[in-house]
Amino acid sequence: MATKKYTVTLPEELAEEIRHEVGSGGFSAYVTRAVERQREQDRLGELVTWLEEEHGPVTEDELASAEAERREFERHFAEQGPGAAGERHRRAS
Protein backbone atom coordinates (compact mmCIF):
# COMPACT_ATOMS: atom_id res chain seq x y z
CA MET A 1 0.00 0.00 0.00
CA ALA A 2 1.34 3.42 -0.90
CA THR A 3 1.93 5.81 1.98
CA LYS A 4 1.93 9.56 2.28
CA LYS A 5 3.24 11.68 5.11
CA TYR A 6 0.72 13.79 7.03
CA THR A 7 1.06 16.14 9.95
CA VAL A 8 -1.25 15.51 12.88
CA THR A 9 -1.40 17.11 16.28
CA LEU A 10 -1.54 14.86 19.33
CA PRO A 11 -1.39 15.63 23.02
CA GLU A 12 2.31 15.54 23.88
CA GLU A 13 1.90 13.22 26.86
CA LEU A 14 -0.03 10.66 24.80
CA ALA A 15 2.44 10.78 21.90
CA GLU A 16 5.43 10.35 24.20
CA GLU A 17 3.77 7.46 26.02
CA ILE A 18 3.18 5.68 22.69
CA ARG A 19 6.70 6.43 21.43
CA HIS A 20 8.13 5.05 24.68
CA GLU A 21 6.14 1.82 24.30
CA VAL A 22 6.70 1.16 20.58
CA GLY A 23 9.93 3.04 19.83
CA SER A 24 10.29 5.78 17.26
CA GLY A 25 10.18 3.30 14.36
CA GLY A 26 6.85 1.83 15.47
CA PHE A 27 5.02 5.09 16.03
CA SER A 28 3.54 5.41 12.53
CA ALA A 29 2.47 1.76 12.48
CA TYR A 30 0.80 2.19 15.88
CA VAL A 31 -1.11 5.28 14.73
CA THR A 32 -2.08 3.53 11.48
CA ARG A 33 -3.55 0.56 13.40
CA ALA A 34 -5.43 2.94 15.70
CA VAL A 35 -6.95 4.80 12.75
CA GLU A 36 -7.87 1.50 11.07
CA ARG A 37 -9.64 0.32 14.24
CA GLN A 38 -11.52 3.61 14.47
CA ARG A 39 -12.63 3.27 10.83
CA GLU A 40 -13.90 -0.25 11.61
CA GLN A 41 -15.86 1.13 14.57
CA ASP A 42 -17.28 3.92 12.40
CA ARG A 43 -18.40 1.40 9.76
CA LEU A 44 -19.96 -0.84 12.41
CA GLY A 45 -21.85 2.18 13.75
CA GLU A 46 -23.11 2.92 10.23
CA LEU A 47 -24.22 -0.71 9.89
CA VAL A 48 -26.07 -0.60 13.22
CA THR A 49 -27.83 2.61 12.18
CA TRP A 50 -28.86 1.08 8.84
CA LEU A 51 -30.06 -2.15 10.46
CA GLU A 52 -32.09 -0.24 13.04
CA GLU A 53 -33.66 1.85 10.27
CA GLU A 54 -34.54 -1.35 8.38
CA HIS A 55 -35.63 -3.56 11.30
CA GLY A 56 -36.16 -1.29 14.28
CA PRO A 57 -34.07 -1.00 17.42
CA VAL A 58 -32.80 -4.06 19.25
CA THR A 59 -35.12 -4.97 22.12
CA GLU A 60 -34.05 -5.64 25.71
CA ASP A 61 -35.05 -9.30 25.25
CA GLU A 62 -32.85 -9.60 22.16
CA LEU A 63 -29.94 -8.01 24.02
CA ALA A 64 -30.40 -10.36 26.97
CA SER A 65 -30.55 -13.37 24.67
CA ALA A 66 -27.40 -12.32 22.81
CA GLU A 67 -25.57 -11.73 26.10
CA ALA A 68 -26.58 -15.18 27.39
CA GLU A 69 -25.31 -16.74 24.16
CA ARG A 70 -22.04 -14.82 24.42
CA ARG A 71 -21.53 -16.04 27.98
CA GLU A 72 -22.20 -19.61 26.87
CA PHE A 73 -19.57 -19.34 24.11
CA GLU A 74 -17.14 -17.83 26.61
CA ARG A 75 -17.73 -20.73 29.04
CA HIS A 76 -17.32 -23.29 26.26
CA PHE A 77 -14.00 -21.90 25.06
CA ALA A 78 -12.71 -21.43 28.62
CA GLU A 79 -13.38 -25.12 29.27
CA GLN A 80 -11.45 -26.05 26.13
CA GLY A 81 -8.35 -24.31 27.44
CA PRO A 82 -5.76 -22.26 25.53
CA GLY A 83 -4.71 -23.68 22.18
CA ALA A 84 -7.44 -26.36 22.16
CA ALA A 85 -8.81 -25.27 18.79
CA GLY A 86 -5.35 -25.42 17.21
CA GLU A 87 -4.73 -28.88 18.69
CA ARG A 88 -8.03 -30.21 17.28
CA HIS A 89 -7.10 -28.76 13.88
CA ARG A 90 -3.68 -30.47 13.93
CA ARG A 91 -5.20 -33.84 14.85
CA ALA A 92 -7.77 -33.56 12.06
CA SER A 93 -5.04 -32.90 9.46
Side-chain angles (χ1 to χ4, degrees), residues 33-46:
R33 287 191 307 273
V35 171
E36 287 170 342
R37 280 192 307 274
Q38 183 61 51
R39 289 292 300 138
E40 289 172 359
Q41 292 297 310
D42 293 346
R43 289 183 185 120
L44 285 172
E46 292 168 5

Side-chain angles (χ1 to χ4, degrees), residues 48-81:
V48 168
T49 298
W50 179 80
L51 288 170
E52 287 183 337
E53 288 171 357
E54 291 290 314
H55 305 286
V58 177
T59 66
E60 290 298 320
D61 287 343
E62 291 168 329
L63 285 172
S65 176
E67 178 59 20
E69 190 171 343
R70 185 199 62 78
R71 284 192 306 270
E72 183 59 36
F73 277 116
E74 197 172 76
R75 257 192 308 278
H76 171 77
F77 287 110
E79 290 169 3
Q80 300 300 310

